[in-house]
Amino acid sequence: MTDAGAPVSNKPEPPKVLRIFRGKDAPSLDEAGHMSYVDDDPVILDGAAKLGEAGIGEGAVLKCLFSGFGFSLHYVWFKPGYPLPLHSHDSDCLYYLISGDIRMGTEKMAAGDGFFLPAGTPYTYTIGDEGVELLEFRTQEDFDIQFKGKTDAYWEKMLEKLRAEQPKWKEALPPVRDYRNA
């Protein structure tokens, strides 16, 4: 018997046993199909499409390392200067920086640092000169992304940043972590 208000999942839950995952076998976030885009504003759709056409995908590696039992773990490598648009997700998320650095508002964060964002919190950060590798621990297997840039000028600025940083991406490697000082 189920509660009348409880959502019913169509996916059978795998047995809760030891599960090993291998980074080399991890599908891309797109292949895994866990993140959905929920924007319907024509300005956002047009701006995001222009970034896609200009090659924003070349500046990031996004992998789903694990998904199950109501949470997920993702690996992210943003190459130097990647223009991360202001956005939110509908799941809580804990972020851990493996290597490189970011600036979020007035806070500079480096390897060993992290932050927590409740679901629905708009955010962005500036990726450092060497790029950043991080882990995202989410409280849901499936989640959305919703962009917040509401003006053409915002998306033009993102496009300009992409074009300025893109030449660095071809030769970029993930930043090296200094384990002695983390």
Side-chain angles (χ1 to χ4, degrees), residues 20 22 30 35 43-44 49-50 58 60-62 69 79-80 84 88 90 96 99 105 108 116 118 131 145-146 148 179:
I20 294 174
R22 308 253 183 227
D30 285 341
M35 185 168 71
V43 171
I44 292 173
K50 286 179 181 174
E58 299 165 17
V61 174
L62 308 162
F69 315 115
K79 295 180 182 179
L84 183 65
S88 67
D90 65 346
Y96 176 79
S99 64
K108 185 171 181 175
F116 171 80
I145 183 169
Q146 187 170 21
K148 304 298 181 183
Y179 288 93

Side-chain angles (χ1 to χ4, degrees), residues 121-143:
T121 304
Y123 74 104
T124 188
Y125 45 82
T126 302
I127 286 82
D129 292 337
E130 295 181 10
V132 67
E133 283 184 298
L134 50 90
L135 295 174
E136 299 179 349
F137 301 85
R138 295 197 179 276
T139 58
Q140 293 176 199
E141 293 178 61
D142 298 322
F143 56 95

Side-chain angles (χ1 to χ4, degrees), residues 107-118:
E107 295 293 324
K108 185 171 181 175
M109 290 178 257
D113 296 336
F115 57 97
F116 171 80
L117 281 174

Side-chain angles (χ1 to χ4, degrees), residues 3-61:
D3 286 337
V8 177
S9 173
N10 293 336
K11 289 194 272 185
E13 188 66 29
K16 289 191 177 182
V17 297
L18 171 70
R19 286 181 56 191
I20 294 174
F21 58 89
R22 308 253 183 227
K24 66 179 181 62
D25 298 328
S28 72
L29 189 56
D30 285 341
E31 291 169 341
H34 292 293
M35 185 168 71
S36 60
Y37 296 86
V38 296
D39 296 302
D40 59 2
D41 182 305
V43 171
I44 292 173
L45 292 172
D46 185 54
K50 286 179 181 174
L51 288 179
E53 291 163 9
I56 195 165
E58 299 165 17
V61 174

